[in-house]
Structure formats: structure tokens, C-alpha cells
Amino acid sequence: MPEAADPGGLVSADELRELAGWFDEFEFAFDPLAVRAREAEAKFNDRVQKLYKLRVHPLHPELAYPVFLNHLRQKCRQFLHRNPPR
Amino acid sequence: MSARLSWEEIIQDTLPEIRELGRVGDAYPSADHPGACEAFARRVQIAESVLINGYGWAAKFARRTGSLSEVAAIWRRMSELCGETLRELARLRDKYPHCGTPELYDRVLDYKLACDKRHDAALEEQECLKQPIPEGLFPPMN
């Protein structure tokens, strides 16, 4: 997992863009059973768990994982609203 | 008249196709009756296509809305549609065991589970957003 290179947060703008892409591929997949959707969900979950374990939890141990995960899901929705598919 | 379809219009257009599946299934005394399996299998194919299409529309509407309550409502409605289809198929799968019925049942069940998962996740997300998080976790949204 790359270190956060751009300013803005423990989760970088580049990481959020990548996470939002995966989120889009599984949450809004036309075929939820497609391999691509399942792989995107696995990548998303794996990355979020690593971010939480390596960067968030050490600094904010009071923050529960589900709360972090769901705030991140919300950030992904907002990113996708601002960047609709062409 | 607007050319835009609403989610409820799509559901209302899909429901008759699902009910027709039951009507055609009931119209024959058995699957061995001449033409029965062909007619029922045709309705199975149509039901599958409208449900897959409906799911795709649900995903599109869920992506578009900014409200998690609406997201949950969209997936609940799609799950109900899958549930209605499953009830029809459960009622008819013994009568038509070789007309695509078991395969469609399994597929619709998978789709219903996908709808329920997205519905539950939207409600959980809504609850978690009520809890504050430390500043500086995420990049600013420009």
C-alpha cells in the first residue's frame, strides 16, 4: 500500500479516487454476481482494512472500524456524485 | 410528458411480467401438457430479463441519489420484487421442474440477497454517519 503522497488526510486524494472506483464497480454493478464486481469489493474491503489498521487505528484507537468504513463509503458516494460516469 | 422514467414506473412495469409468470404457470394442468413447458419456459426467460434489467435500474437510481434513505428504499423495493418472483417460482417449481424454473429461482435468490445487502448497508451507513469522526481522516471534497 503506497504512503499518502498528497495532502488532505490520512486517506489521500489518490487513494480515495481508487477506493471510489472500486466502490462504484461493486455497489452499483448492473450484475452483482459478476466476477469483476466481486473482485472490486474484495479489493475495496482489503484496502479499507489496511488503512484502518496501519494509519487510522494507531492515531485514533477510539474510532471503531464500522464507523470509519461507513464514513469512507459516504466519501466514495460524494466523490462519485462529483465525478459521474461519462 | 417527461421522457424520464421514475423508479416506481419501472417497478410498476415489471410487476405484470412477474405476475404473468404465475398466470401462465397456472394455465396448464401439468408440464407434460402440450405446449406447457415451452410457454412457461418463455415466461421464465422474460421474468429473468426484466428482473436483471430492474436490478440494473435500481443500481443506477441508487448511484444517482444523495439520500441514504432513498438508497435503502430503492433496494427494499427491488428486494420485494425478487421476493414476489421467488414466491411464484416456489409455488410452481414442482409443477415445472425442467423448464428453467430451478435455475431462475437460484438466480433470483442471489439477486435478492444482493438487494438486501445493499439495503442493510445503506441503513448501517446512515447510522454510522451520526457518529462524529476525527478531523483530518479524508481529503477535502472540492
Side-chain angles (χ1 to χ4, degrees):
Chain A
M1 186 169 59
E3 286 298 310
D6 53 344
L10 289 178
V11 179
S12 73
D14 285 344
E15 285 168 331
L16 182 62
R17 185 180 304 110
E18 189 169 32
L19 285 162
W22 290 330
F23 184 74
D24 193 25
E25 283 184 25
F26 71 85
E27 184 70 11
F28 306 119
F30 267 47
D31 178 5
L33 312 178
V35 171
R36 181 175 171 158
R38 293 180 186 189
E39 286 178 350
E41 185 170 16
K43 286 179 193 170
F44 177 89
N45 288 334
D46 184 58
R47 178 65 63 85
V48 176
Q49 283 169 10
K50 282 181 180 165
L51 283 168
Y52 179 77
K53 185 179 172 187
L54 298 177
R55 291 197 211 148
V56 177
H57 187 65
L59 287 174
H60 304 288
E62 75 288 355
L63 180 63
Y65 177 73
V67 177
F68 172 70
L69 166 67
N70 281 294
H71 276 268
L72 183 51
R73 284 171 59 96
Q74 181 65 19
K75 290 291 177 191
C76 289
R77 289 183 198 276
Q78 291 171 356
F79 179 91
L80 294 170
H81 280 151
R82 287 168 168 80
N83 300 276
R86 292 176 185 172
Chain B
M1 180 177 141
S2 169
R4 282 189 157 196
L5 275 174
S6 73
W7 171 234
E8 194 53 35
E9 281 176 300
I10 290 167
I11 289 286
Q12 291 306 323
D13 284 351
T14 304
L15 270 171
E17 301 300 337
I18 303 305
R19 289 175 182 152
E20 187 65 4
L21 177 75
R23 193 195 68 75
V24 170
D26 290 336
Y28 295 91
S30 73
D32 298 332
H33 195 84
C37 192
E38 290 80 359
F40 188 69
R42 175 83 181 128
R43 294 313 311 182
V44 164
Q45 287 178 343
I46 292 171
E48 182 174 18
S49 66
V50 295
L51 277 175
I52 289 173
N53 196 43
Y55 185 96
W57 278 110
K60 201 167 180 62
F61 278 100
R63 192 187 199 279
R64 190 182 293 169
T65 181
S67 157
L68 288 170
S69 298
E70 278 186 36
V71 171
I74 287 166
W75 291 119
R76 189 192 68 239
R77 199 79 174 92
M78 189 65 213
S79 175
E80 288 169 354
L81 194 61
C82 291
E84 184 152 344
T85 310
L86 288 171
R87 279 191 292 280
E88 291 292 344
L89 291 168
R91 193 170 64 75
L92 292 164
R93 67 179 168 181
D94 288 340
K95 187 175 178 182
Y96 298 94
H98 305 297
C99 308
T101 325
E103 293 83 359
L104 180 60
Y105 186 92
D106 289 347
R107 174 162 284 216
V108 176
L109 188 57
D110 284 340
Y111 270 73
K112 185 177 188 309
L113 291 173
C115 295
D116 292 343
K117 181 178 171 181
R118 282 155 181 75
H119 168 266
D120 295 349
L123 294 183
E124 184 185 318
E125 195 174 321
Q126 199 169 34
E127 279 306 302
C128 283
L129 290 181
K130 293 175 185 170
Q131 299 185 41
I133 56 167
E135 288 192 13
L137 289 185
F138 303 114
M141 286 282 179
N142 296 320

